[in-house]
Amino acid sequence: MAYNHPKPDDRSDNVEKLQEMIHNTIENMEEAEESMNMSSSEQQEQINAKNERRRESIAGMREEIKDENHAKH
């Protein structure tokens, strides 16, 4: 009988992945803001709310990058 063992925790590229996620999130925010010109006021409110959540996510990812860098040293 084969036993399933968890994969070892490879965190070596976490910072790069987080940086890429931040980059993609910023691009999504910019695209959403550009679309606001053609959106109703209700859609604009939704876009603003989503972008605010995105800003919070970015802040969290930046904190995680700091933690990862601190753990490496």
Side-chain angles (χ1 to χ4, degrees):
M1 176 179 218
Y3 292 100
N4 291 333
H5 296 286
K7 293 182 182 177
D9 189 16
D10 180 14
R11 302 170 66 105
S12 62
D13 61 349
N14 278 6
V15 172
E16 291 81 13
K17 287 179 182 176
L18 287 164
Q19 288 172 332
E20 182 67 21
M21 290 167 56
I22 289 171
H23 176 76
N24 292 339
T25 302
I26 291 170
E27 282 184 349
N28 290 339
M29 287 174 61
E30 291 170 350
E31 289 174 14
E33 288 172 1
E34 288 174 13
S35 73
M36 287 179 68
N37 296 333
M38 300 169 279
S39 303
S40 68
S41 60
E42 183 179 330
Q43 289 170 325
Q44 289 178 0
E45 288 178 29
Q46 292 171 348
I47 291 169
N48 283 329
K50 188 163 191 171
N51 278 351
E52 182 56 35
R53 291 190 300 273
R54 286 174 170 149
R55 280 189 269 289
E56 292 170 5
S57 291
I58 289 171
M61 287 185 271
R62 287 184 172 147
E63 284 299 315
E64 201 170 333
I65 287 172
K66 287 179 188 176
D67 291 345
E68 288 290 329
N69 282 330
H70 183 69
K72 287 182 180 180
H73 299 290

